[in-house]
């Protein structure tokens, strides 16, 4: 796997020591990390096609993390966001989570809580067999079992088995949840 294809955790925090601590933590579990002091720096980097997520501080200069989350949504950039803050409250966390954040952690947070939030979806995906990954990609692209069977050269019954195993391993109960997971993993191409 090329470095550009590895999952990347992007970190935006105006506190240099916090950025470095999170980057060191992420890299200690074998993931790539890139850090930025502002949302603007992150946007100038450009989009990525590899699986990624964003660790975002709520309080930033120029634009708050919550405002930046809205800006990303308005621009069509979909990336799982894990908020971190030293100054959070319940209404703020509710607002962030309703807008699609994956997690909202209050500083000082446990390293393991942050890693769990980052790795959860990726770990589920890694448990899939190559055939289950292929079926997942075809399911989220909108194909029916019969169409998938034709596409991969298998029986419809075999596709149903792979689909059931994949849904169970991804811990989802519906197609909508599966599509959300695929989106978090960046398996759905941007239009």
């Amino acid at each position: 796997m090329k470095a550009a294809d590895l999952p990347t955790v992007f970190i935006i925090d105006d506190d240099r020591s916090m950025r470095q601590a999170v980057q060191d933590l992420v890299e200690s579990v074998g993931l790539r990390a890139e850090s930025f002091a502002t949302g603007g720096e992150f946007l100038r980097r450009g989009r990525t096609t590899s699986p990624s997520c964003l660790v975002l501080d709520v309080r930033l200069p120029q634009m708050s993390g919550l405002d930046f989350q809205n800006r990303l949504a308005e621009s069509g950039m979909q990336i799982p966001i894990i908020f971190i803050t030293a100054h959070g409250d319940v209404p703020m966390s509710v607002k962030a989570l309703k807008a699609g954040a994956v997690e909202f952690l209050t500083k000082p947070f446990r390293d393991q809580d942050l890693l769990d939030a980052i790795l959860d979806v990726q770990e589920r995906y890694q448990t899939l067999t190559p055939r289950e990954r292929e079926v997942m990609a075809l399911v989220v692209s909108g194909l029916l079992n019969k169409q998938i069977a034709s596409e991969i050269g298998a029986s419809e019954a075999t596709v149903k088995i792979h689909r059931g195993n994949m849904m169970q391993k991804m811990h989802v109960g519906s197609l909508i949840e599966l599509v959300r997971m695929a989106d978090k993993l960046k398996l759905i191409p941007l239009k």
Side-chain angles (χ1 to χ4, degrees), residues 48-94:
T48 181
T49 57
S50 64
S52 59
C53 72
L54 176 61
V55 176
L56 180 61
D57 189 13
V58 171
R59 292 219 175 153
L60 294 170
Q62 302 160 6
M63 181 185 305
S64 77
L66 294 170
D67 290 338
F68 187 68
Q69 179 187 32
N70 291 333
R71 182 170 174 187
L72 290 177
E74 289 168 1
S75 72
M77 182 181 246
Q78 297 180 348
I79 184 169
I81 297 174
I82 300 162
F83 275 104
I84 56 175
T85 185
H87 308 284
D89 55 30
V90 173
M92 185 185 295
S93 63
V94 169

Side-chain angles (χ1 to χ4, degrees), residues 1-120:
M1 192 181 282
K2 295 181 288 187
D5 297 329
L6 289 173
T8 304
V9 177
F10 298 106
I11 304 147
I12 303 176
D13 196 313
D14 59 329
D15 180 338
R16 179 188 305 255
S17 63
M18 178 57 77
R19 279 195 316 269
Q20 191 60 56
V22 173
Q23 184 164 346
D24 291 346
L25 176 65
V26 168
E27 290 173 346
S28 77
V29 295
L31 296 175
R32 288 182 67 234
E34 292 182 36
S35 61
F36 308 90
T38 67
E41 285 180 20
F42 171 75
L43 291 174
R44 284 189 291 279
R45 182 209 182 275
R47 293 181 185 238
T48 181
T49 57
S50 64
S52 59
C53 72
L54 176 61
V55 176
L56 180 61
D57 189 13
V58 171
R59 292 219 175 153
L60 294 170
Q62 302 160 6
M63 181 185 305
S64 77
L66 294 170
D67 290 338
F68 187 68
Q69 179 187 32
N70 291 333
R71 182 170 174 187
L72 290 177
E74 289 168 1
S75 72
M77 182 181 246
Q78 297 180 348
I79 184 169
I81 297 174
I82 300 162
F83 275 104
I84 56 175
T85 185
H87 308 284
D89 55 30
V90 173
M92 185 185 295
S93 63
V94 169
K95 182 177 180 182
L97 294 168
K98 279 188 173 182
V102 174
E103 185 65 80
F104 194 96
L105 300 173
T106 304
K107 298 174 187 175
F109 48 82
R110 289 185 21 205
D111 288 353
Q112 193 59 50
D113 290 340
L114 179 59
L115 289 175
D116 288 347
I118 292 169
L119 296 172
D120 185 44

